[in-house]
Amino acid sequence: MISKLFDSVAAAVADIQDGATVMIGGFGTAGMPSELIDGLIGNGARDLVVVNNNAGNGETGLAALLKAGRVRKIICSFPRQADSQVFDALYRAGKIELELVPQGNLACRIEAAGAGLGAIFTPTGYGTALAEGKETRRIAGRDYVLELPIRADVALIKCHIADRWGNLTYRKTARNFGPIMARAAATTIVQADHVVALGQIDPEVIVTPGIFVKRVVEVARADRLPLAA
Amino acid sequence: MTQDIQRMSRDQLAARVARDIPEGAYVNLGIGAPTQVANYLPPDREIFLQSENGLLGMGPAPAKGQEDPELINAGKQPVSLLPGGSYFHHGDSFAMMRGGHLDICVLGAFQVAVNGDLANWHTGAADAIPAVGGAMDLAIGAKQVFVMMDLLTKSGESKLVERCSYPLTGVSCVDRIYSDLAVIDIDANGPRVIEMVPGLDIETLRAMTGVDLKFTGVQA
């Protein structure tokens, strides 16, 4: 019997290595797999490259991982926010490297990795500082920038409902980067609000098929919502 | 005959932009001032608001106590979903934005150049932490790019310029500027003023901006 279920967050993230590239889902705190991130802090891996849309909010989740000094470099689109004080301080102190990527390029570079593409030509960023030094090409009268896929060793994502084969559904705008990151990492680790029996998720509504998922751990937050009847 | 220039407030400007958004339009309102445009869309007009973080058919902020931390907009504020709305992942969201599926986006700006170049993501200052988000995708992806901004900086310099001094967001991408003083179309022939606020005249506006302006349907 195949089961991707893990009993604990600590076990699910135990083998993440120093120097790993780790995708972390979420847009702000919506969809952020905070408990998996706490597990990664507990695991002790350092020198990490993190891929996320932002660079942490407040003092918890991704911000806590940054504060613990575990992240060498962050690849993101929008680091500076009202509550990004942890990143701001590290960046100003020269203690973290930033690769700033337009959000849509971040998304399609992640998609390209998951889809097995060698590169993409995107119009976004053409003629701007974020495309400096990159190959460009005019195709059918429009200018494009060559961008390379972003792959990861590990993706940490949050979903709403999972089963033991790793089929996933998401909830509202917590979906964001989850489905595309799940495809772009060698090992995708999911924290689920709920784990249900095989067949309990309507196959028509599965967003991430289990082939993209290696590990699932149920995290029953105190404020988690009950399953809809 | 001279009267004071009746500069538009932020709310008046948001209402002015809202007037030009037609029924059936798919629209992305950028974070900051453009978000306020939603407050002035007439409820009897069906308009589809898209948010880059994965929703279409975005509704207003929920009542206090009804906020859901997993239902937010691009500015990370709690919002609601209208009946018929949908959720999707970032790949789909940016396909909508980059792929020419949005009819209109409304963005803020530091500067717009006479050829439609847009600068709105980074001042370029050495101590500034850059952040770009979805601005570059919207700037080149929406069918029409509206900019909503004050025409002058606080120190009185024109934000409509010959050439942007701030780092660019997109090349030759702005179609129209809604400012507190005038509405200005930008096309291959450069900027063309189509509306001015009461009390403002052509010569004053020319002197304020210092760029070559054409005028259509505007009284001298």
Side-chain angles (χ1 to χ4, degrees):
Chain A
M1 187 180 92
I2 297 303
S3 178
K4 299 178 181 179
L5 301 179
F6 277 61
D7 290 335
S8 74
V9 165
V13 303
D15 60 355
I16 299 178
Q17 303 291 312
D18 289 355
T21 294
V22 182
M23 288 181 178
I24 299 179
F27 182 92
T29 54
M32 184 183 285
S34 299
E35 285 76 5
L36 290 180
I37 297 170
D38 289 344
L40 179 56
I41 294 170
N43 149 313
R46 46 184 61 251
D47 210 22
L48 301 171
V49 175
V50 165
V51 184
N52 180 262
N53 186 58
N54 302 107
N57 301 79
E59 305 281 334
T60 59
L62 176 53
L65 183 68
L66 298 183
K67 196 165 188 173
R70 304 292 174 71
V71 180
R72 173 176 70 77
K73 175 181 176 180
I74 188 152
I75 302 173
C76 72
S77 86
F78 209 79
R80 186 194 66 229
Q81 300 169 94
D83 57 354
S84 61
Q85 63 270 15
V86 172
F87 171 81
D88 296 358
L90 288 168
Y91 183 77
R92 292 189 198 288
K95 290 182 175 166
I96 191 163
E97 186 185 339
L98 169 66
E99 179 180 344
L100 191 72
V101 180
Q103 195 172 161
N105 287 358
L106 187 65
C108 67
R109 291 174 64 189
I110 292 168
E111 289 191 287
L117 302 177
I120 46 159
F121 280 106
T122 171
T124 301
Y126 177 83
T128 76
L130 296 185
E132 260 173 30
K134 293 179 176 171
E135 185 179 336
T136 61
R137 186 174 300 184
R138 177 162 285 208
I139 303 170
R142 192 162 189 207
D143 293 308
Y144 297 84
V145 183
L146 183 82
E147 292 281 1
L148 299 177
I150 302 175
R151 298 175 203 290
D153 300 300
V154 177
L156 304 180
I157 65 175
K158 177 180 182 294
C159 81
H160 185 43
I161 304 173
D163 63 26
R164 67 177 168 84
W165 282 2
N167 295 308
L168 311 179
T169 66
Y170 301 83
R171 189 172 169 277
K172 302 189 175 180
T173 57
R175 181 182 307 194
N176 58 69
F177 283 91
I180 62 174
M181 287 182 169
R183 302 191 302 217
T187 301
T188 291
I189 306 171
V190 181
Q191 74 170 70
D193 292 335
H194 300 274
V195 171
V196 299
L198 285 188
Q200 293 301 298
I201 306 176
D202 178 353
E204 298 283 7
V205 305
I206 289 171
V207 176
T208 297
I211 189 171
F212 298 124
V213 171
K214 289 279 198 302
R215 302 172 190 171
V216 175
V217 56
E218 188 175 36
V219 174
R221 286 183 182 166
D223 62 348
R224 102 175 150 167
L225 296 165
L227 284 176
Chain B
M1 275 299 284
T2 56
Q3 56 167 324
D4 288 343
I5 296 172
Q6 292 174 35
R7 194 180 295 266
M8 273 194 277
S9 69
R10 269 289 150 80
D11 283 314
Q12 288 172 318
L13 188 54
R16 176 65 194 85
V17 175
R19 241 172 62 198
D20 287 354
I21 299 181
E23 170 138 299
Y26 288 89
V27 180
N28 183 299
L29 302 174
I31 59 177
T35 305
Q36 292 178 30
V37 172
N39 301 336
Y40 295 94
L41 296 173
D44 61 346
R45 217 186 276 168
E46 285 200 331
I47 289 165
F48 306 99
L49 294 183
Q50 193 256 14
S51 190
E52 68 193 24
N53 56 314
L55 71 163
L56 192 58
M58 180 169 59
K64 206 168 164 54
Q66 300 297 305
E67 299 94 345
D68 183 336
E70 294 189 329
L71 180 45
I72 59 173
N73 64 13
K76 304 183 175 72
Q77 301 152 321
V79 292
S80 58
L81 191 77
L82 299 176
S86 55
Y87 302 115
F88 36 85
H89 64 62
H90 254 73
D92 284 350
S93 186
F94 279 80
M96 294 175 195
M97 293 160 71
R98 190 195 313 106
H101 306 284
L102 292 176
D103 296 297
I104 295 168
C105 75
V106 185
L107 297 170
F110 297 143
Q111 290 175 325
V112 177
V114 293
N115 70 341
D117 285 358
L118 171 67
N120 79 348
W121 68 282
H122 187 25
T123 61
D127 62 342
I129 296 176
V132 62
M136 288 188 179
D137 302 279
L138 285 170
I140 57 87
K143 287 183 188 134
Q144 280 190 289
V145 176
F146 291 170
V147 159
M148 184 176 161
M149 67 179 193
D150 290 336
L151 193 61
L152 306 177
T153 65
K154 289 196 177 78
S155 54
E157 291 156 331
S158 177
K159 294 167 74 172
L160 174 61
V161 294
E162 201 56 42
R163 196 181 162 83
C164 293
S165 57
Y166 290 138
L168 293 189
T169 305
V171 175
S172 196
C173 57
V174 175
D175 295 292
R176 178 175 283 182
I177 299 168
Y178 293 87
S179 77
D180 54 340
L181 294 170
V183 179
I184 305 170
D185 275 344
I186 296 190
D187 59 26
N189 298 313
R192 190 163 44 86
V193 179
I194 59 168
E195 285 176 27
M196 292 193 300
V197 296
L200 182 62
D201 60 66
I202 285 178
E203 286 320 307
T204 305
L205 186 60
R206 280 204 164 112
M208 280 174 168
T209 62
V211 299
D212 184 22
L213 294 173
K214 296 177 182 64
F215 292 81
T216 297
V218 176
Q219 288 192 328

